[in-house]
Amino acid sequence: MFKKPYTLTSPLVLTLCAAALVAACTDLVEPVDSEVTADNFFQTDQQFVSALGDAYSALTTLGGGGAPAQLNEATTDEIIVPARGQDWSEGGFWFRINNHQWNIEEGTFNGFWQDYFSGVNNANRLIFQFESAVEAGSADPDQAATFISELQAMRAFYYFWLLDAFGNVPIVTSFADAEANPSQPCSAGPQCFDEGRREVFQFVEQELLNNIDNLDTNVQATYGRMNKYVAHMTLAKLYLNAEVYTGTPRWDDALTHLNEIINSGQYSLAANYHDNFATQNEGSPENMFIVPYDRVFLVGMQLAMMTLHYGSQNTYNFQNQPWNGWSATQKIYESVIDPEQNPGPQGEVWGTEPTASDDGLERIQGTLDDRLGNFIVGPQFTSGGARIMDSGVFSDFDRNGPPLTFTPALNDLEAVACRQCAARIGKYEFEPNIPGDNLSNDFVIYRYADVLLMKAEALWRQSPGDAEALALVNQIRTRSGVDPFGSLDANRLLAERGRELFWEQVRRQDLIRFEGVEGGETRFNDPWQFKPVSQAYRNVAPIPRDQLEVNTNLVQNPGY
Amino acid sequence: MKRKATPLFFVAVLVVLFLPISAFGQQEVSGTVQDSTDAQPLPGVNIIVKGTTQGTTTDVNGIFSLSVPSLSDTLVLSFVGYRTKEVPIDGQTQLDVDLAQQIFIGGELVVVGYGTQERRQITGAVSSIDAADFVTGNVNAPSELIQGRVPGLQVTTRSGNPNDDAEIRLRGISSFGANQEPLVVVDGVGGANMDNVDPNDIASIDVLKDASASAIYGTRGSAGVILITTKSGELQEGVSVDYNAYYTYEGIENRLDVLTGDEYRELSALTDFNVADHGANTEWFKEITQPGANIVHSLALSGGTENSTFRVSGNFRDRNGIQKYTGFQEIGGRLNFTQWALDRDLRFTVQLAATNKDHNFGFTDAFKFAGIMNPTAPVQEDGFENTGGYHEQDLFNYFNPVNIIEEGTRRGETRYFNGLLRADYELSALIPNLSISAQFSLQSEDEVRRNFYSRQHRMLGGATPSARGSGLAEQFYVDRRTELFETTIHYLGDVSPDLGTEFIAGYSFSDVVDEGFNASGGDFITDNVRFNNFGFAQDFNQGEGTVGSFRSTNRLIGLFGRANLNYRGTYFVNGSLRREGSSRFGIDRKWGTFWSAGLGIEVTNLVDISFLNSLRLRSSMGKTGQDAPESGLSLQRFAPQGNFFVDGQFIQSFGPVSNANPDLKWEEKTEINIGLDFEAIQSRLVGRIDAYNSVTSDLLFEVGVPVPPNLFPTTWMNVGELETSGLELSLDFLALRGGPDGGFSWDTGVIMSLYSDTKLNEYVTEDVQYLANPGSPGLNNPDLIRIKEGEPIGQLWGPEFSRFGENGEWLFINADGDEVAYGDLNFPDDEKILGNGLPDFQLGWTNSLNFNNFDFNVFVEGVFGHQLANMFSLFYSVPKQITSYNVLQEAFDLADLTDDPRWSSRYVENADYLRIQNATLGYTIPMRAGSPINRMRVYVSGNNLYTFTGYSGVNPQVRYQDENLGQSETGTTGGSLAPGIERRIEWYTARSISVGINVNL
């Protein structure tokens, strides 16, 4: 019997597909549906501006307890992160950071490297993309040129911090032709570290000088972005620390750029120190460069969580429970209340030692400095006014037992540190009733008060009796209601910077810069409470182990 | 005249069922059937009148006689091991028929990729489990049916969580960045979801274990293949009805043994550690648990006529878990329908399956907090109105577990649909022995999750003792659709009487689309609408609500072929080849080639070994692949990266989320398998032994890359090489054979699997890497796992505990062998390998006893040689913790210890276990002759009856993955590179007793 042919398509498709004659049968082009690729972005002006934003995203780690704060604050004499019982013991990480006994495996160094190099990389990528768009005729060349200058200056900003942290780091300026395993300027080994660091210094200096005149001078429009004055400030900081980085001081160059900022008249001191750190601190005349945090739109400002006690949740009615970690050292607190170090009007202030009193803390006579608000000290209350009870209290040192009291003195760094010990960081206003971990205060990177103190230092370094230097320091002191100094010395300058710029991520730089100045102390390597003497090689961070592993061209810094 | 093909609609199936089988005037036909080669009569040959259900079988002398409607009809003769033959009667009343032996067909048939094969011809490692050998009792998923039944296959049902899926690993771990679970093929549809198959509907499960067996599936075959065959209808008179039902009671098998309120106070007095005594004695675990229950009904109707068969089934499950308010309700249906036409040359198959499952997920976190919540605290207390009346404390990561489950709800629905259309056509009339087939299938899986946390929910709703929170509602939808088109051409024929051949070639095309949508927001004016109206969430007015969506697609295309040769039923050779492309790889790296070759010898055909009925040697080798786990991994992609502040307002900024890697290619596994099958004692003893070695190269993994020049710190790459080997044994012994009228019979089987280390021959870096830390509070350092080239994966790593010092401190042994305090340890120099999370040995022992109408089955499973790091004990066994948390009973033994928790060898425990997994006693009720009920059996069955183990944690089962199971877990998990960690958040395990009934009409 004859069988009808059936209209099954499969044999046909099979035959054709087996021979791969029908393109659809072997088409494996991969579509990207819910993300974009470089090919299908960069079409409109808005997309260009939007893309530019990624040059700044690396800054958003500054407001949290991540790598920048760990390196620039937790290693210094103003901040301590004690292991309160088991909490925060983390296998001794904070102990090693506080005591300068870190090893090259610590994730914090890799975190710092990745944060700041991602800033460099994004700048490189965007420069390449803008240049390509100009070539393709899809972007306005003038607009692109302005953006490219901004990006090159931001790249220099990131390199400034990489220079400060690691010294000798690879300089990568190209996106399209980047080497797979870039080398440092000095790649022969630890012996040429100084030479490599000098080259990075010169790169930062040159990039900023090349671009500074193309940068915007409208400080309102560029709030939170690189503008001309932010570039001047970065140069001033570079020159102020030039002796550390290159062995050659550059005080006059620092002054030149600081004067550019002062003479522009764009900035002035705020009447109230704390206005600069309020929840709504956008209006500050003093803040020059900030991370424009917002608890909804730009998250990462987590100081309340980092520093407050678990029970402090009830003071502010936070929906999330704080972590009871980052604290101020007794030393920095004392530098404010001590009449010797900080002369000024005297009154009753919280002392440092816990007592069995109702308050749980002694009241003593001390200096009334507005900047005492940088610290949260003493008995703690709920929003309703009741004492907060810490039912987990266990140390004899918490003499009052459960009633929560922040006592500036700290009994121990590890293992048996008491839960309520150490003053908390109150620098930024804490907005009550918020959900989530994030605050809306803009995080201050550069501030005009620092411009004045830097200028004072640059003048004083060249002429210790300089009257203008003294006047500038006293201008800062007067604003906080304390007595003017009659003269300056290294300790006073450094201590004043400590009081004024507490929790502004400059302390490590300051301690290193003041090494050996007047009195032979090494400052950063000196012992302080709990911390033993540390070695000089710890003034730069190690090249992170993770980076050494993936890029075999990198060489480790000396000493590590 | 031929009957026309029945329309392919379900309704029509019913019509077919009730077509009257008419008998008109009948004629007698008789004759004999004999073997074509030796002319021996063949008894038991099936003879059927074509187009009817009338038939008979030959007697012992090969003689038959049969009435036929007409002498112009055709007889169809079929017999196992012989070719089916059609004989037109042509008016004769006496017919003598020769049947030819078929070299290929005969013996046990095993489902393999794209077809079936006779057991003796298989050269690779394949295990087959029929319904009769499935695990019984409280079984809710297909994977549980074969737990412990297949050597080399580990099915890990981790907990008492009713909504948990089992983890399945075949021959250990062969991949760590890509998929580790075997490919599931349901009735020929690759990549199917097992969740849409009810265990009651499964006829058999075949597991392809080695590369030679699974290479035909190319890409996705490298973690093995599980082939599920569902039940279908059979030619018969009338409709067969099967009804199965059972009720299960579930209790807690194991939980954390923490202090009671009185013990808590006692420990405080003993140790001088203050506790906050709130005056109550609360057994927190009782507050959050309930007896579980499971009701299951399954009804199936099946039948068939000469040209069509069908089976329809419906299944219903209502399960309540051991945590209050958890469980699921599931309803599913399946239709398998087959229609033959054109003289049975065309076969058309339709399968439809749909399942709807409503979940109540509950909170795994609640088990942890039931363990650590202060036992002197009351559940509820005045003054806690903001947290719904539930007592809460201001301690780190500390929540009242009753508040968690009462003020929050996590619901979900999952809907599965599978449809399969398949046509097979015998081209024999044109080209003998050739057939072609084509199939199209659609699988879809829709998942909806709905979570709501009230303004009184402390953990996720933002409530605190001092103020209510804003509440939170979340919803997400995920939709996954897979379309698969496959066509094959098949030749099965004997080239000569000595040489049988089978060839198959095919083309496969599949498209997968994943889409999702999610929204979450809080700040509710009222809690009443829960997740049902996001309009009530003021977060959306304030820009704080979040909405997201995604879509990803991928495509796989394969061209494949296989050849099987059979020489004199003694030598068997087979080979397969598959060329496969995946859209997920780099632009020029999309295609891969996978192959296998195997040789089998039936030794008993060559040598006379008196005590063996059969002895086969097998050896095979092959290469399989693994697809990339996600789409877009080879491309540089950008996505929103927060916001950017321009001129006083925020605009979205874009940043990289991946690096390009145009070289991303297939992960490949090469496996060698040597096997031996034997039968002895009149085939009452059947054994199989397999030894294998597999090497996975070009492992897919996300690895760190230098940040200049890369934009993103990690890239998916092909890195490293993994090697493992093992030995598998299965023995089945029919120890006692019952008589024809019952009597006592005993069938026992043992499976054993020996696993070597899974060694990382090559890795990203020659240096070591540390992974997976215990978490907060205070143990985010050091890491628990070390990865090093040349070492096995899953090495637990830490300092070696020595003893407790006089001052209540920990003492450890450092690298120099000296006893030191914690502060004097150097990390990682003073650490060492403390154990390994992967097992060495696995045992399964089945026993089936029958006596008259009674049947008794017992199944024992054991896994040995693995260690677990006990995280709950690490955090909550030292007495000092009672200042904040409740602790384990163990704390009384450590009363002199005043130190904090420290990670060390003390928390690495051997987790060997032997478990009475199931015992079932059944009784088949004798039926009166002529009863409408064919068979009725009642049974009682216990699952997870008892576990023998020295492990002190909740569950000694292997943890292949280190993952977060709860919201409050704080440790950094290590994924598949960090097996062997029992985290703090785990469900308690459950034990169950079921009573059930099976009825066949």
Side-chain angles (χ1 to χ4, degrees), chain A residues 319 435, chain B residues 407-409 450-457 460-463 468-475 519-542 544-546:
Chain A
Q319 294 199 4
Chain B
E407 295 287 342
T409 175
R450 301 187 178 93
N451 302 331
F452 179 71
Y453 313 105
S454 81
R455 293 190 301 146
Q456 288 76 246
H457 197 269
L460 296 158
R468 288 186 184 199
S470 54
L472 183 67
E474 299 172 324
Q475 286 211 20
S520 80
D523 201 357
F524 291 91
I525 298 288
T526 167
D527 281 343
N528 289 340
V529 300
R530 304 194 301 162
F531 39 61
N532 297 316
N533 188 345
F534 277 98
F536 281 79
Q538 298 181 95
D539 276 357
F540 287 98
N541 306 347
Q542 295 147 10
E544 292 175 62
T546 58

Side-chain angles (χ1 to χ4, degrees), chain B residues 338-480:
Chain B
T338 306
Q339 175 72 47
W340 281 269
L342 308 173
D343 292 335
R344 286 180 77 92
D345 281 342
L346 177 67
R347 186 177 69 176
F348 193 80
T349 307
V350 180
Q351 285 191 8
L352 298 172
T355 302
N356 187 83
K357 203 167 177 178
D358 282 0
H359 307 268
N360 236 324
F361 291 101
F363 294 82
T364 311
D365 302 79
F367 290 106
K368 171 183 155 187
F369 295 114
I372 66 174
M373 189 79 186
N374 187 329
T376 70
V379 177
Q380 293 207 314
E381 198 174 349
D382 287 345
F384 286 91
E385 287 68 30
N386 293 319
T387 52
Y390 297 99
H391 176 99
E392 296 282 1
Q393 291 182 18
D394 289 316
L395 290 171
F396 173 74
N397 201 354
Y398 199 69
F399 308 100
N400 184 327
V402 188
N403 173 279
I404 292 176
I405 64 168
E406 297 274 354
E407 295 287 342
T409 175
R410 286 180 174 162
R411 308 292 297 268
E413 285 159 36
T414 322
R415 298 183 202 103
Y416 304 96
F417 171 81
N418 288 7
L420 169 71
L421 302 175
R422 181 183 169 92
D424 301 88
Y425 186 65
E426 292 274 352
L427 284 169
S428 312
L430 298 172
I431 307 163
N433 304 323
L434 195 68
S435 63
I436 54 171
S437 67
Q439 70 174 37
F440 174 78
S441 74
L442 172 74
Q443 300 178 63
S444 86
E445 189 182 328
D446 297 301
E447 199 181 342
V448 189
R449 291 274 185 109
R450 301 187 178 93
N451 302 331
F452 179 71
Y453 313 105
S454 81
R455 293 190 301 146
Q456 288 76 246
H457 197 269
R458 175 137 163 84
M459 189 170 81
L460 296 158
T464 69
S466 57
R468 288 186 184 199
S470 54
L472 183 67
E474 299 172 324
Q475 286 211 20
F476 69 82
Y477 292 71
V478 181
D479 177 14
R480 184 186 172 85

Side-chain angles (χ1 to χ4, degrees), chain B residues 835-869:
Chain B
N836 188 292
L838 296 176
D840 299 331
F841 180 62
Q842 182 193 2
L843 173 79
W845 183 34
T846 56
N847 281 287
S848 174
L849 294 96
N850 283 282
F851 181 70
N852 295 338
N853 287 331
F854 287 95
D855 57 271
F856 179 69
N857 283 281
V858 61
F859 168 48
V860 176
E861 192 194 15
V863 179
F864 307 89
H866 61 293
Q867 281 82 37
L868 284 175

Side-chain angles (χ1 to χ4, degrees), chain B residues 437-715:
Chain B
S437 67
Q439 70 174 37
F440 174 78
S441 74
L442 172 74
Q443 300 178 63
S444 86
E445 189 182 328
D446 297 301
E447 199 181 342
V448 189
R449 291 274 185 109
R450 301 187 178 93
N451 302 331
F452 179 71
Y453 313 105
S454 81
R455 293 190 301 146
Q456 288 76 246
H457 197 269
R458 175 137 163 84
M459 189 170 81
L460 296 158
T464 69
S466 57
R468 288 186 184 199
S470 54
L472 183 67
E474 299 172 324
Q475 286 211 20
F476 69 82
Y477 292 71
V478 181
D479 177 14
R480 184 186 172 85
R481 286 190 309 280
T482 307
E483 289 179 1
L484 173 69
F485 170 75
E486 280 183 334
T487 175
T488 53
I489 182 162
H490 182 221
Y491 175 84
L492 174 69
D494 301 342
V495 171
S496 75
D498 287 340
L499 183 65
T501 61
E502 182 182 11
F503 299 98
I504 189 165
Y507 168 79
S508 166
F509 178 98
S510 83
D511 257 338
V512 182
V513 180
D514 271 301
E515 286 178 285
F517 183 86
N518 63 72
S520 80
D523 201 357
F524 291 91
I525 298 288
T526 167
D527 281 343
N528 289 340
V529 300
R530 304 194 301 162
F531 39 61
N532 297 316
N533 188 345
F534 277 98
F536 281 79
Q538 298 181 95
D539 276 357
F540 287 98
N541 306 347
Q542 295 147 10
E544 292 175 62
T546 58
V547 171
S549 66
F550 73 92
R551 177 188 161 95
S552 89
T553 53
N554 72 294
R555 177 174 290 176
L556 280 170
I557 295 174
L559 291 157
F560 54 87
R562 180 175 60 212
N564 296 334
L565 305 177
N566 168 354
Y567 183 70
R568 290 186 165 174
T570 304
Y571 298 98
F572 305 96
V573 178
N574 53 38
S576 70
L577 185 69
R578 182 161 178 139
R579 178 111 176 115
E580 182 133 41
S582 163
S583 61
R584 285 176 167 167
F585 291 110
I587 187 76
D588 297 320
R589 303 286 191 145
K590 293 188 188 289
W591 291 86
T593 305
F594 309 97
W595 55 268
S596 75
L599 171 69
I601 302 171
E602 178 62 61
V603 178
T604 37
N605 284 358
L606 303 173
V607 188
D608 186 22
I609 309 170
S610 58
F611 58 92
L612 288 178
N613 306 95
S614 168
L615 176 69
R616 282 189 294 278
L617 286 175
R618 295 177 275 116
S619 69
S620 67
M621 183 171 177
K623 189 162 89 173
T624 50
Q626 199 61 264
D627 196 1
E630 289 164 43
S631 296
L633 299 180
S634 71
L635 303 172
Q636 169 114 57
R637 290 164 294 139
F638 298 90
Q641 299 272 292
N643 285 313
F644 170 45
F645 201 68
V646 183
D647 269 342
Q649 60 176 353
F650 286 102
I651 66 164
Q652 201 167 55
S653 77
F654 276 74
V657 293
S658 66
N659 297 314
N661 179 6
D663 293 328
L664 194 72
K665 61 181 180 188
W666 293 97
E667 176 176 308
E668 293 182 342
K669 184 172 113 170
T670 308
E671 188 164 15
I672 297 174
N673 193 90
I674 295 174
L676 185 148
D677 303 342
F678 64 89
E679 292 175 23
I681 327 176
Q682 294 91 48
S683 295
R684 283 167 63 186
L685 178 67
V686 176
R688 284 188 227 295
I689 300 169
D690 276 288
Y692 63 90
N693 173 274
S694 75
V695 177
T696 312
S697 54
D698 292 325
L699 283 157
L700 289 161
F701 199 48
E702 187 174 16
V703 297
V705 289
V707 163
N710 291 289
L711 291 179
F712 196 71
T714 60
T715 303

Side-chain angles (χ1 to χ4, degrees), chain A residues 369-420:
Chain A
D369 185 323
D370 283 354
R371 293 169 297 191
L372 264 178
N374 283 340
F375 311 99
I376 303 173
V377 177
Q380 298 298 303
F381 301 92
T382 67
S383 56
R387 277 303 290 273
I388 292 169
M389 292 296 152
D390 175 11
S391 51
V393 67
F394 52 77
S395 162
D396 291 342
F397 199 77
D398 291 305
R399 278 187 222 167
N400 245 18
L404 180 60
T405 310
F406 292 137
T407 59
L410 178 62
N411 62 328
D412 200 347
L413 179 53
E414 220 199 7
V416 288
C418 57
R419 292 162 64 96
Q420 306 180 1

Side-chain angles (χ1 to χ4, degrees), chain A residues 64-128:
Chain A
Q70 287 170 9
L71 182 67
N72 288 322
E73 295 284 9
T75 62
T76 73
D77 61 353
E78 67 178 29
I79 292 296
I80 193 142
V81 188
R84 294 186 168 97
Q86 183 202 353
D87 206 0
W88 294 84
S89 74
E90 319 303 359
F93 170 76
W94 297 103
F95 182 87
R96 295 193 298 274
I97 289 291
N98 284 310
N99 287 357
H100 296 195
Q101 290 165 351
W102 55 75
N103 50 52
I104 67 166
E105 279 91 16
E106 313 287 4
T108 185
F109 302 117
N110 197 43
F112 195 94
W113 180 285
Q114 287 189 347
D115 281 355
Y116 286 82
F117 267 114
S118 77
V120 169
N121 285 340
N122 284 332
N124 284 339
R125 170 177 57 86
L126 290 164
I127 291 166
F128 169 75

Side-chain angles (χ1 to χ4, degrees), chain B residues 199-417:
Chain B
N200 283 307
D201 290 337
I202 297 176
S204 67
I205 297 178
D206 296 83
V207 182
L208 312 184
K209 296 193 285 189
D210 72 324
S212 132
S214 56
I216 191 81
Y217 285 107
T219 70
R220 293 170 294 173
S222 83
V225 181
I226 294 179
L227 299 158
I228 294 178
T229 306
T230 60
K231 291 173 182 164
S232 52
E234 284 168 14
L235 176 64
Q236 66 181 54
E237 280 189 40
V239 175
S240 167
V241 178
D242 281 290
Y243 172 71
N244 296 301
Y246 65 83
Y247 170 81
T248 300
Y249 171 89
E250 245 179 326
I252 295 168
E253 185 217 13
N254 197 18
R255 64 176 178 86
L256 297 161
D257 201 7
V258 292
L259 307 184
T260 65
D262 289 337
E263 288 167 340
Y264 190 68
R265 295 178 189 102
E266 192 188 321
L267 184 65
S268 171
L270 190 68
T271 59
D272 290 337
F273 286 117
N274 297 325
V275 298
D277 186 349
H278 301 278
N281 269 312
T282 304
E283 288 191 79
W284 288 101
F285 84 92
K286 279 193 179 164
E287 302 292 335
I288 60 162
T289 55
Q290 65 183 7
N294 191 7
I295 297 168
V296 177
H297 296 277
S298 161
L299 180 68
L301 281 71
S302 66
T305 59
E306 181 218 356
N307 279 328
S308 63
T309 62
F310 79 96
R311 184 175 185 275
V312 279
S313 63
N315 296 284
F316 172 79
R317 285 163 197 273
D318 182 359
R319 189 166 181 199
N320 292 302
I322 53 171
Q323 185 181 105
K324 282 181 184 171
Y325 317 118
T326 64
F328 65 79
Q329 269 198 8
E330 180 181 352
I331 186 157
R334 171 172 290 270
L335 164 70
N336 287 0
F337 174 69
T338 306
Q339 175 72 47
W340 281 269
L342 308 173
D343 292 335
R344 286 180 77 92
D345 281 342
L346 177 67
R347 186 177 69 176
F348 193 80
T349 307
V350 180
Q351 285 191 8
L352 298 172
T355 302
N356 187 83
K357 203 167 177 178
D358 282 0
H359 307 268
N360 236 324
F361 291 101
F363 294 82
T364 311
D365 302 79
F367 290 106
K368 171 183 155 187
F369 295 114
I372 66 174
M373 189 79 186
N374 187 329
T376 70
V379 177
Q380 293 207 314
E381 198 174 349
D382 287 345
F384 286 91
E385 287 68 30
N386 293 319
T387 52
Y390 297 99
H391 176 99
E392 296 282 1
Q393 291 182 18
D394 289 316
L395 290 171
F396 173 74
N397 201 354
Y398 199 69
F399 308 100
N400 184 327
V402 188
N403 173 279
I404 292 176
I405 64 168
E406 297 274 354
E407 295 287 342
T409 175
R410 286 180 174 162
R411 308 292 297 268
E413 285 159 36
T414 322
R415 298 183 202 103
Y416 304 96
F417 171 81

